Amino acid sequence: MSMNSFGHLFRVTTWGESHGPALGATVDGCPPNVPLDETMLQQWLDKRRPGQNKNMTQRNEPDEVKILSGVFEGKTTGTPIQLMIENTDQRSKDYGDIVNTFRPGHADITYYQKYGNRDYRGGGRSSARETAARVAAGGIAREAIKLLAPDLEVKGYMVAMGELDIDRSNFDWDAIDKNDFWIPDANAVQQWEDYLQGLRKEHDSVGAVVEVVARGVPAGIGAPIYAKLDTELASAMMSINAVKGVEIGEGMNAARLKGSENADEIFRGNDGAPVYSSNHAGGILGGISTGQDVVVRFAVKPTSSILTPRASIRKDGSPAEVITKGRHDPCVGIRAVPVGEAMMACVILDQLLLHRGQIGENQGTIG
Amino acid sequence: MSMNSFGHLFRVTTWGESHGPALGATVDGCPPNVPLDETMLQQWLDKRRPGQNKNMTQRNEPDEVKILSGVFEGKTTGTPIQLMIENTDQRSKDYGDIVNTFRPGHADITYYQKYGNRDYRGGGRSSARETAARVAAGGIAREAIKLLAPDLEVKGYMVAMGELDIDRSNFDWDAIDKNDFWIPDANAVQQWEDYLQGLRKEHDSVGAVVEVVARGVPAGIGAPIYAKLDTELASAMMSINAVKGVEIGEGMNAARLKGSENADEIFRGNDGAPVYSSNHAGGILGGISTGQDVVVRFAVKPTSSILTPRASIRKDGSPAEVITKGRHDPCVGIRAVPVGEAMMACVILDQLLLHRGQIGENQGTIG
Amino acid sequence: MSMNSFGHLFRVTTWGESHGPALGATVDGCPPNVPLDETMLQQWLDKRRPGQNKNMTQRNEPDEVKILSGVFEGKTTGTPIQLMIENTDQRSKDYGDIVNTFRPGHADITYYQKYGNRDYRGGGRSSARETAARVAAGGIAREAIKLLAPDLEVKGYMVAMGELDIDRSNFDWDAIDKNDFWIPDANAVQQWEDYLQGLRKEHDSVGAVVEVVARGVPAGIGAPIYAKLDTELASAMMSINAVKGVEIGEGMNAARLKGSENADEIFRGNDGAPVYSSNHAGGILGGISTGQDVVVRFAVKPTSSILTPRASIRKDGSPAEVITKGRHDPCVGIRAVPVGEAMMACVILDQLLLHRGQIGENQGTIG
Amino acid sequence: MSMNSFGHLFRVTTWGESHGPALGATVDGCPPNVPLDETMLQQWLDKRRPGQNKNMTQRNEPDEVKILSGVFEGKTTGTPIQLMIENTDQRSKDYGDIVNTFRPGHADITYYQKYGNRDYRGGGRSSARETAARVAAGGIAREAIKLLAPDLEVKGYMVAMGELDIDRSNFDWDAIDKNDFWIPDANAVQQWEDYLQGLRKEHDSVGAVVEVVARGVPAGIGAPIYAKLDTELASAMMSINAVKGVEIGEGMNAARLKGSENADEIFRGNDGAPVYSSNHAGGILGGISTGQDVVVRFAVKPTSSILTPRASIRKDGSPAEVITKGRHDPCVGIRAVPVGEAMMACVILDQLLLHRGQIGENQGTIG
């Protein structure tokens, strides 16, 4: 299906399977003259990479990215940037019964029903390994954003995992990068770790909620009606493996509010620009940025690969019991944090470029 | 912005403002030879039309749709179908202070910041009136689906409004079309009505959750990686005015579940096709339909136009207090039901066509 | 087929059949704040309109365009502009044998083979009447270009018709708008008219070559590799009814030249900008504008509707002899001139917007 | 620019520069279960490869293609196919004055003016080396077509070079693959070779016309109005480096014909299907295939890299005289033959898939 691309002017096409020779991203539409090298991208891949701590799968994937095109003398040229990550661990092995058995909660069965074939090697194209390519592409977006909107910052973190929630009154932006869960509260880390290790010992897994924020997005970004900023973010986040829900600002809870509670009142700021009393809207009105923080959250379902047996069938319809051995993340939400950040960065850059192309400059001034 | 279209092969472009001469939809890619006339579309527009009962705004918009092209001798020809709905109530009136004041919670301010102009007549392009065009286009999608998947049914209903939730143990599919709230429980209607009329008297409004289900979707529909069925639905629903969250199947609650709870186990059905023990997945795995019900929910924020005063500013930055007089729905969620259905129908048809084009037929057989 | 749109950021979708209620164009992506009203578009439609002189068909189509959306208080808002031209002459009439007979050289047979239906009313969607919508859309593009590149001018004219060619040594830019053939040589008009009236009396028709030039296109416009300026122009012109060939600059004759003859040598102009010794390239190198005149030519085949009998078949396969009565242009190339201009204007505007979005500004300075 | 893709459902994105680490194509939308391996693609790359005979440049580029994704157990899976061709000859060398000098007839100057940077290594992205990726992608299209339309054949050949034309009365389909010029006349080969070697000795180059034919295309393929089969072919061929004109069927000569000469008359064939008296239309009416041979021609300008000095300027505006040393094809038209074939194959496959998706089957039967 020719549906492996996202973005309008900054357009990313990912390719590759979890156990093929390589995977990567073809990034078309990056502005020219953006300083870029592989180390700028590698930092984000390292954040997503498995095996870094005991809360992640212990598989060893170096995820080393190579730039094959589109960069010359340390800067982007404006031509397509090809990113390649070789799969180092492609040794043939005995996949046993999994070759013909559909793992519950995985896309094994639907890919087979759709395409009439089965890449049984670790999920093939439907593997979350595909998100490594997104993270690399997101790294390019971050560098390009620096030229277009230098104060813009994108940051993701976990806000819930199973029965745990962060305490927003302790929210600490600086703590996020200093713990394995990317949570904004150093004091909660031990509790989160104990909870997850408990689940692991029970041979179980758990879901999570990730929040991604973009600070410093200029007012006026977003392309109504069907490429609204929130619409694009919903699409971007829902396309991530295992995501089952996406929220902007108040999110699903908006259903519970009265109009008098939900409206963000508007005032004149000291510099003349509008300021808001609150941010129920998540920084977006009518699909266009307000200048406030753009806030998106998404829920990741619990890892389907668990050691607890589950009923399934084989290609021939015969019943099978599936226990997924191997080393799997007990909570894929952790590794979804850099993926969500990458998608946010790509969407924001794309919208910045679209706005520049079609509007030229933010024309409506207030005050 | 050239972003007023959605869909890939069944492509809908809406146009028009709430108080211009007309609005409508250009529908490109409808298969040929689908029986179609205006009455088939009008039934869905009538469902969305305001002024039908006391829970809706009492404005009078006949919303009569005309087909200007693409249909000959009672059937679609395969060429673009132009749908036009004339705005009958365009009388010039005194918009007063609203011409220069930004209504909180509305897109007035961001449209102005983006485009540098202000269509103050009822929100212009950002008005929910635009959804009338979607509903008409969705009517075309429904007729085309009948030829491609005759057993496929799309139905929407409300499941929550403010502090009220439906009782799923009383779920009655047949009750939905028989009450003003489109709720699946005849016994709850009076309670919902009392609650909403109470809010209206308080000069307030409230949010809601709408659920839309597609039954009879064949397994194998959906276009990974970035046009997954759930991704397309997230985008479609988030593009509806006032929507702040979208869920597939278990939705945000998936974050709270363990892997052992969330996996839908698979069994062999009597006809050989797979059956599932549950539908946490909402009928979608890896972005592809499983053959189960496809289930999407979305949250609509409370109507921002309320009689309770709210602080805002004018174009010149001066402070203003906004009370939105006029006749507004106290809960726009009600009218979002047919809009959600229309978007579901459009997405499903588009994916059916994409699948046929790229795969030809569902090739993987089980059992 | 959802293929009734062209352009990337300035995106035009035409709709309508020759004998339906109306036809028009949905124009998405026009920049905001462009002064626009219907008279600005009507001038171009009047240029294309039939019945204006004896070298055209004498049918009477007023082709009055209405703007239904996207313009407020005399300026574009940035939202979709809907253009509608009502077909005033829709009276039912007896189409006779043509209902089941395929006219040679027309799309009757292929539309039937593709879509499985037949709109026998004047060609339906395949009628050249569709180009009226393009001309109206091109009028919008011209107005938007005025803001982006005030010195840019687009002009089309005929350069050949049957055995006649213009004499380039007499080329007179100002003569073009003053004769019925849009030829750049007032002295040749009588000869062209005599030639065409002779063919008409012979119940025959003839082909033509139209050249369209854009002057004042800034260097750097064009989007390699597959949306090069020349590629976009080739696509735009070939999509016009009856066009069988497209040339840029030297065109097909480039095959006959040596490298030493074809290279346009480069010098430094008085203002520092490059100047070229010649323009074999037609103003485009590597798909990007050089700053010279952008020159495209296209050949239009002779009108297929002639009074001379031609052999064909009916739907049931039986033989038929077709004489196309009715009033048809003996050379459709004349009316193709404003259509070619409109396509040029649309392509240029689209590329100006793309360049602004992705590059920001023309960054490479010389001298 | 995110404009490095072509095709709708069969979508090819090429990437890479002439002297970067690698170049290739990301092919999205290939149907699943098409038998495919690298040798199937290599045969076409070998046809395009330089250095094969004395009429080509003597550079040594092995052009070995690797498949990095999308193929499993010898068949396509339906996921993106990544093709990579490593550039073996990347040694750094002294580019001398060319680093700052613009070669006349090349895209050096316009790429610099557009992007603000200069990849002086052999033209970078604007090098014809990019067409190697197209040829590889075209090889995939050919294999997929075999499953969809087994009798369909695509063949290209030269029909003119400088002052030479083929003699159509000697047309020999089988001769094409047996000579270095891909001309359909074994007896003319010596003359063509003498002519070209003469030009080479004069330090000059020459243009050419290539014709590509698709036989066995089913009637009904093509997507009016703006993705007509001829429109898509015009775009595809014009995007090839150095192409300045594209013709369908009668081409530019259609301007010289009368309607009575140009119309292809229609008769009933022995099997009931329509047969035509001639093929002025080039197998396309109204943008849709008739079932006849689809015939496209394109003109390639003479190689701009010649040993004869030409005037130009440097970045700083100073005058320079350019002699392009190095080994260049005296007629790039020869190597354009397999490129034109590849583009034809890609367009035809794309249109076959589009037709299947939107129409389902060819529904209009005749006779």
Side-chain angles (χ1 to χ4, degrees):
Chain A
M1 305 289 290
S2 60
M3 299 293 153
N4 290 277
S5 303
F6 64 93
H8 303 273
L9 292 186
F10 182 75
R11 190 155 178 85
V12 176
T13 304
T14 68
W15 54 272
E17 290 82 46
S18 63
H19 288 68
L23 55 83
T26 310
V27 178
D28 196 5
C30 184
N33 306 316
V34 177
L36 191 73
D37 65 26
E38 282 139 352
T39 61
M40 296 174 184
L41 309 182
Q42 195 62 47
Q43 60 178 315
W44 306 110
L45 280 164
D46 290 347
K47 187 171 176 178
R48 195 209 75 100
R49 190 156 56 90
Q52 301 190 98
N53 60 61
K54 63 183 165 184
N55 298 310
M56 288 182 170
T57 164
Q58 297 305 303
R59 282 177 302 183
N60 187 14
E61 296 166 354
D63 282 355
E64 190 176 301
V65 65
K66 289 182 188 164
I67 297 174
L68 298 184
S69 67
V71 176
F72 184 54
E73 297 180 335
K75 292 189 178 179
T76 61
T77 58
T79 64
I81 304 169
Q82 183 59 255
L83 303 175
M84 181 175 69
I85 301 165
E86 289 176 280
N87 287 320
T88 53
D89 185 12
Q90 293 180 64
R91 66 178 183 277
S92 73
K93 69 171 199 181
D94 180 8
Y95 284 90
D97 200 34
I98 206 68
V99 172
N100 290 307
T101 309
F102 304 116
R103 297 169 299 166
H106 281 279
D108 298 347
I109 190 166
T110 51
Y111 266 65
Y112 175 70
Q113 286 177 304
K114 182 174 197 72
Y115 295 112
N117 57 53
R118 175 86 193 277
D119 185 346
Y120 47 78
R121 303 165 304 168
R125 180 71 179 151
S126 71
S127 166
R129 184 147 174 66
E130 180 269 341
T131 61
R134 306 188 191 204
V135 169
I140 296 175
R142 285 178 184 270
E143 298 303 320
I145 287 172
K146 284 180 187 170
L147 296 192
L148 286 153
D151 298 330
L152 206 157
E153 186 180 10
V154 171
K155 179 82 89 179
Y157 41 87
M158 287 181 80
V159 295
M161 178 175 66
E163 60 194 45
L164 302 177
D165 284 274
I166 62 161
D167 179 352
R168 297 231 173 218
S169 65
N170 289 339
F171 196 102
D172 178 6
W173 186 267
D174 296 325
I176 294 169
D177 285 335
K178 296 177 183 149
N179 68 78
D180 295 347
F181 292 97
W182 320 110
I183 52 174
D185 181 358
N187 294 328
V189 173
Q190 189 61 48
Q191 182 193 19
W192 284 55
E193 183 161 329
D194 293 346
Y195 176 72
L196 194 61
Q197 293 305 322
L199 284 166
R200 184 201 287 277
K201 281 170 197 156
E202 293 169 20
H203 292 172
D204 217 332
S205 64
V206 75
V209 178
V210 173
E211 185 167 287
V212 184
V213 171
R215 288 185 169 173
V217 177
I221 301 305
I225 299 288
Y226 300 108
K228 290 171 171 171
L229 182 50
D230 37 4
T231 301
E232 297 284 291
L233 289 171
S235 171
M237 301 309 171
M238 192 63 93
S239 75
I240 301 172
N241 306 53
V243 171
K244 301 303 287 183
V246 181
E247 301 185 316
I248 303 292
E250 197 62 52
M252 296 304 293
N253 190 51
R256 308 305 182 172
L257 298 183
K258 296 180 186 175
S260 54
E261 296 164 338
N262 186 65
D264 304 313
E265 293 183 294
I266 316 174
F267 300 90
R268 189 173 197 269
N270 291 333
D271 62 350
V275 293
Y276 293 82
S277 63
S278 52
N279 192 10
H280 296 286
I284 303 172
L285 282 173
I288 303 170
S289 60
T290 62
Q292 295 176 276
D293 285 0
V294 174
V295 182
V296 62
R297 273 184 309 285
F298 56 89
V300 179
K301 71 178 183 180
T303 317
S304 298
S305 299
I306 53 176
L307 282 162
T308 306
R310 279 292 165 269
S312 187
I313 57 174
R314 298 190 186 85
K315 272 190 203 177
D316 63 5
S318 62
E321 189 165 80
V322 177
I323 298 176
T324 312
K325 293 170 191 162
R327 296 155 299 180
H328 294 279
D329 290 309
C331 178
V332 287
I334 303 172
R335 292 173 65 196
V337 171
V339 181
E341 289 178 337
M343 297 309 281
M344 173 71 94
C346 290
V347 168
I348 295 281
L349 173 60
D350 190 40
Q351 292 280 1
L352 287 168
L353 296 175
L354 272 177
H355 185 80
R356 188 169 67 175
Q358 298 198 300
I359 309 297
E361 52 186 13
N362 192 316
Q363 294 161 307
T365 53
I366 295 173
Chain B
M1 305 288 290
S2 60
M3 298 293 153
N4 291 275
S5 303
F6 65 92
H8 304 273
L9 292 186
F10 182 76
R11 190 153 177 85
V12 176
T13 305
T14 67
W15 54 272
E17 290 83 46
S18 64
H19 287 68
L23 55 82
T26 310
V27 178
D28 196 3
C30 183
N33 306 315
V34 176
L36 191 71
D37 65 27
E38 282 140 352
T39 61
M40 294 173 185
L41 309 182
Q42 196 61 48
Q43 60 177 315
W44 306 110
L45 279 163
D46 290 346
K47 187 170 177 180
R48 194 207 76 100
R49 190 156 57 89
Q52 302 191 98
N53 59 61
K54 64 183 166 186
N55 298 311
M56 289 182 169
T57 164
Q58 298 304 305
R59 284 178 300 186
N60 188 14
E61 295 165 355
D63 283 356
E64 190 177 300
V65 65
K66 288 182 189 164
I67 298 174
L68 297 184
S69 66
V71 176
F72 184 54
E73 297 181 335
K75 293 188 176 180
T76 61
T77 59
T79 64
I81 302 168
Q82 183 59 252
L83 303 175
M84 180 174 70
I85 301 165
E86 289 176 279
N87 288 320
T88 54
D89 185 13
Q90 294 180 64
R91 65 177 184 276
S92 73
K93 67 171 199 181
D94 181 10
Y95 284 90
D97 200 35
I98 207 69
V99 171
N100 290 308
T101 311
F102 304 116
R103 297 168 300 165
H106 281 278
D108 298 348
I109 190 166
T110 52
Y111 266 66
Y112 174 71
Q113 287 177 303
K114 181 174 197 74
Y115 295 112
N117 57 52
R118 175 84 192 277
D119 185 346
Y120 46 78
R121 305 164 305 169
R125 180 71 181 152
S126 72
S127 165
R129 184 146 174 66
E130 180 268 342
T131 60
R134 306 189 192 204
V135 169
I140 296 176
R142 285 178 184 269
E143 298 303 320
I145 287 171
K146 284 180 187 170
L147 295 192
L148 286 152
D151 297 330
L152 206 157
E153 187 180 9
V154 171
K155 178 83 87 178
Y157 42 88
M158 289 181 78
V159 296
M161 179 175 67
E163 60 194 46
L164 302 178
D165 285 274
I166 62 160
D167 178 353
R168 296 227 175 222
S169 65
N170 290 339
F171 196 102
D172 177 6
W173 188 265
D174 296 324
I176 295 168
D177 286 336
K178 296 177 184 151
N179 69 79
D180 294 347
F181 293 98
W182 320 110
I183 52 172
D185 181 357
N187 294 327
V189 173
Q190 189 60 50
Q191 183 193 17
W192 284 54
E193 184 162 328
D194 294 346
Y195 177 72
L196 193 61
Q197 293 305 323
L199 285 165
R200 184 200 288 275
K201 281 169 198 156
E202 293 169 19
H203 292 173
D204 217 332
S205 64
V206 74
V209 178
V210 173
E211 184 167 288
V212 184
V213 170
R215 288 185 170 175
V217 178
I221 302 305
I225 298 288
Y226 300 108
K228 289 171 173 172
L229 183 50
D230 38 4
T231 301
E232 296 284 289
L233 288 172
S235 170
M237 301 309 170
M238 193 64 93
S239 75
I240 301 172
N241 307 53
V243 170
K244 300 305 286 184
V246 182
E247 301 186 316
I248 303 292
E250 197 62 52
M252 297 303 293
N253 190 50
R256 307 306 181 173
L257 298 184
K258 297 180 186 176
S260 54
E261 295 164 340
N262 185 64
D264 303 313
E265 293 182 293
I266 316 174
F267 300 90
R268 188 173 197 268
N270 290 332
D271 63 348
V275 292
Y276 293 82
S277 63
S278 53
N279 191 10
H280 296 286
I284 303 172
L285 283 173
I288 303 171
S289 61
T290 62
Q292 296 176 276
D293 286 0
V294 173
V295 182
V296 63
R297 273 183 309 285
F298 57 88
V300 180
K301 72 177 182 180
T303 316
S304 298
S305 299
I306 52 176
L307 282 162
T308 306
R310 280 290 166 272
S312 187
I313 58 175
R314 297 191 187 84
K315 274 191 199 175
D316 63 5
S318 62
E321 188 164 82
V322 177
I323 299 176
T324 311
K325 291 170 191 160
R327 295 154 298 180
H328 294 281
D329 291 308
C331 177
V332 286
I334 303 173
R335 291 173 68 194
V337 171
V339 181
E341 289 178 337
M343 297 309 281
M344 173 71 93
C346 289
V347 167
I348 296 280
L349 174 60
D350 190 39
Q351 292 280 1
L352 286 168
L353 296 174
L354 272 176
H355 184 80
R356 188 169 66 175
Q358 299 199 296
I359 308 297
E361 51 186 13
N362 192 315
Q363 295 162 305
T365 53
I366 295 172
Chain C
M1 304 289 290
S2 60
M3 299 293 154
N4 291 276
S5 304
F6 65 94
H8 303 273
L9 292 186
F10 182 75
R11 190 154 177 84
V12 176
T13 305
T14 67
W15 55 271
E17 289 81 46
S18 64
H19 287 68
L23 56 82
T26 310
V27 178
D28 196 6
C30 183
N33 307 315
V34 176
L36 191 72
D37 64 27
E38 282 139 353
T39 61
M40 295 174 184
L41 309 182
Q42 195 63 47
Q43 62 177 313
W44 307 110
L45 279 163
D46 290 346
K47 186 170 177 180
R48 194 209 75 98
R49 190 156 56 89
Q52 301 190 99
N53 60 60
K54 63 183 165 185
N55 298 311
M56 289 184 170
T57 163
Q58 297 305 304
R59 283 176 302 183
N60 187 15
E61 297 167 352
D63 283 357
E64 190 178 302
V65 65
K66 289 182 188 165
I67 298 174
L68 298 183
S69 66
V71 175
F72 183 54
E73 296 180 337
K75 292 188 177 179
T76 61
T77 58
T79 64
I81 303 169
Q82 183 59 253
L83 303 175
M84 180 174 69
I85 300 165
E86 289 176 280
N87 287 322
T88 53
D89 186 11
Q90 294 180 63
R91 64 177 185 279
S92 72
K93 68 170 197 182
D94 181 10
Y95 284 90
D97 199 35
I98 207 68
V99 172
N100 290 308
T101 308
F102 303 117
R103 297 171 299 165
H106 280 280
D108 298 347
I109 190 166
T110 51
Y111 266 66
Y112 174 70
Q113 287 178 302
K114 182 174 195 75
Y115 295 112
N117 57 54
R118 175 83 193 279
D119 185 345
Y120 46 78
R121 304 165 305 168
R125 180 70 180 153
S126 71
S127 166
R129 186 147 173 66
E130 181 268 342
T131 60
R134 306 188 192 205
V135 169
I140 297 176
R142 285 177 184 269
E143 298 303 320
I145 287 171
K146 284 181 187 169
L147 295 192
L148 287 152
D151 298 330
L152 206 156
E153 186 180 9
V154 171
K155 179 82 88 178
Y157 42 87
M158 287 182 79
V159 294
M161 179 175 66
E163 59 195 46
L164 302 178
D165 285 274
I166 62 161
D167 178 352
R168 295 227 175 224
S169 65
N170 290 338
F171 197 102
D172 178 4
W173 186 266
D174 296 324
I176 293 169
D177 286 335
K178 296 176 184 151
N179 67 80
D180 294 346
F181 293 96
W182 320 109
I183 52 173
D185 181 358
N187 294 327
V189 173
Q190 189 60 50
Q191 182 192 18
W192 284 54
E193 185 162 327
D194 293 345
Y195 177 70
L196 194 61
Q197 293 305 322
L199 284 166
R200 184 201 288 276
K201 281 169 198 158
E202 293 170 21
H203 292 172
D204 218 332
S205 64
V206 74
V209 178
V210 173
E211 185 167 287
V212 184
V213 171
R215 288 185 170 173
V217 177
I221 302 304
I225 300 289
Y226 300 108
K228 290 172 171 170
L229 183 51
D230 38 4
T231 301
E232 297 283 292
L233 288 172
S235 171
M237 300 310 170
M238 193 64 92
S239 75
I240 300 172
N241 307 51
V243 171
K244 301 305 287 183
V246 181
E247 301 186 315
I248 302 292
E250 197 62 52
M252 296 304 293
N253 189 51
R256 308 305 181 175
L257 298 184
K258 296 180 186 177
S260 54
E261 297 163 338
N262 186 65
D264 304 313
E265 293 183 293
I266 316 174
F267 300 91
R268 189 173 196 271
N270 291 332
D271 63 349
V275 292
Y276 293 82
S277 62
S278 52
N279 192 10
H280 297 286
I284 303 172
L285 283 173
I288 302 171
S289 60
T290 61
Q292 296 175 276
D293 285 359
V294 174
V295 182
V296 62
R297 272 183 310 285
F298 56 90
V300 179
K301 72 177 183 182
T303 317
S304 298
S305 299
I306 51 175
L307 282 162
T308 306
R310 279 291 165 273
S312 187
I313 56 174
R314 299 192 185 84
K315 272 191 200 175
D316 62 6
S318 61
E321 189 164 82
V322 177
I323 299 175
T324 312
K325 292 169 192 163
R327 295 156 298 181
H328 294 279
D329 291 309
C331 176
V332 286
I334 304 172
R335 293 172 68 195
V337 171
V339 181
E341 289 178 336
M343 298 309 282
M344 173 70 93
C346 290
V347 168
I348 295 280
L349 174 59
D350 190 40
Q351 292 280 2
L352 286 168
L353 296 174
L354 272 176
H355 184 81
R356 187 168 68 174
Q358 299 199 296
I359 309 297
E361 52 187 12
N362 193 316
Q363 293 163 306
T365 53
I366 296 173
Chain D
M1 304 290 290
S2 60
M3 298 294 152
N4 291 277
S5 303
F6 64 94
H8 304 273
L9 292 186
F10 182 76
R11 192 154 176 84
V12 176
T13 305
T14 68
W15 54 272
E17 290 82 47
S18 64
H19 288 68
L23 57 82
T26 310
V27 178
D28 196 4
C30 183
N33 306 315
V34 177
L36 192 72
D37 64 27
E38 282 139 351
T39 61
M40 294 174 185
L41 309 182
Q42 196 62 47
Q43 61 177 312
W44 307 111
L45 280 163
D46 290 347
K47 186 171 178 180
R48 194 206 76 98
R49 191 155 57 90
Q52 301 190 98
N53 61 61
K54 64 184 165 186
N55 298 311
M56 289 182 170
T57 164
Q58 298 304 305
R59 282 177 303 185
N60 187 14
E61 296 166 354
D63 283 356
E64 189 177 302
V65 65
K66 289 181 189 167
I67 298 174
L68 298 182
S69 65
V71 176
F72 184 54
E73 298 181 334
K75 293 188 177 179
T76 61
T77 59
T79 65
I81 302 168
Q82 183 58 254
L83 303 175
M84 180 173 70
I85 300 166
E86 288 176 281
N87 287 321
T88 53
D89 185 12
Q90 294 179 64
R91 65 177 184 276
S92 72
K93 67 171 199 181
D94 180 9
Y95 284 91
D97 199 34
I98 205 68
V99 172
N100 290 307
T101 309
F102 304 116
R103 298 170 298 166
H106 281 278
D108 298 348
I109 191 166
T110 52
Y111 266 66
Y112 174 70
Q113 286 177 302
K114 181 173 197 74
Y115 296 112
N117 57 54
R118 174 84 193 277
D119 184 347
Y120 46 77
R121 304 165 305 167
R125 180 69 180 152
S126 71
S127 166
R129 185 146 173 68
E130 180 268 342
T131 60
R134 305 188 192 205
V135 170
I140 296 176
R142 285 178 184 268
E143 298 302 320
I145 286 172
K146 284 181 187 171
L147 295 192
L148 287 152
D151 297 330
L152 207 157
E153 188 181 8
V154 171
K155 179 83 87 179
Y157 41 88
M158 289 181 79
V159 295
M161 180 175 67
E163 59 194 47
L164 302 178
D165 285 273
I166 62 161
D167 178 353
R168 296 230 174 220
S169 66
N170 288 339
F171 197 101
D172 177 6
W173 187 266
D174 296 326
I176 295 169
D177 286 335
K178 295 177 184 151
N179 67 79
D180 294 347
F181 293 97
W182 319 111
I183 51 172
D185 181 358
N187 293 328
V189 173
Q190 189 60 49
Q191 183 193 17
W192 284 54
E193 185 161 329
D194 293 345
Y195 176 71
L196 195 61
Q197 292 305 323
L199 285 165
R200 183 199 289 276
K201 280 168 198 156
E202 293 168 20
H203 292 175
D204 217 331
S205 63
V206 74
V209 179
V210 173
E211 184 167 288
V212 184
V213 171
R215 288 185 169 173
V217 178
I221 301 304
I225 298 288
Y226 300 107
K228 289 171 173 171
L229 183 50
D230 38 4
T231 301
E232 296 284 291
L233 288 171
S235 170
M237 300 311 169
M238 193 64 93
S239 75
I240 300 172
N241 307 52
V243 171
K244 300 304 287 183
V246 182
E247 301 185 315
I248 303 292
E250 197 63 50
M252 296 305 291
N253 191 49
R256 307 305 181 174
L257 298 184
K258 297 180 186 176
S260 55
E261 295 164 339
N262 186 64
D264 303 313
E265 294 183 292
I266 316 175
F267 301 91
R268 187 173 198 267
N270 290 333
D271 63 349
V275 293
Y276 293 82
S277 63
S278 53
N279 191 10
H280 296 286
I284 303 173
L285 283 173
I288 303 171
S289 60
T290 61
Q292 294 176 278
D293 285 1
V294 173
V295 182
V296 62
R297 274 183 309 285
F298 56 90
V300 179
K301 72 177 184 181
T303 316
S304 299
S305 299
I306 52 175
L307 282 162
T308 306
R310 281 289 165 272
S312 187
I313 57 174
R314 298 192 186 84
K315 274 191 201 177
D316 62 6
S318 62
E321 189 166 81
V322 177
I323 298 175
T324 311
K325 293 170 190 159
R327 296 155 297 182
H328 294 279
D329 291 308
C331 177
V332 287
I334 303 173
R335 291 172 69 195
V337 172
V339 181
E341 288 179 337
M343 298 309 280
M344 172 70 94
C346 289
V347 168
I348 296 280
L349 174 60
D350 190 39
Q351 291 280 3
L352 286 169
L353 296 174
L354 272 176
H355 185 81
R356 187 168 68 174
Q358 298 199 298
I359 309 297
E361 51 186 15
N362 193 317
Q363 294 163 306
T365 53
I366 294 173

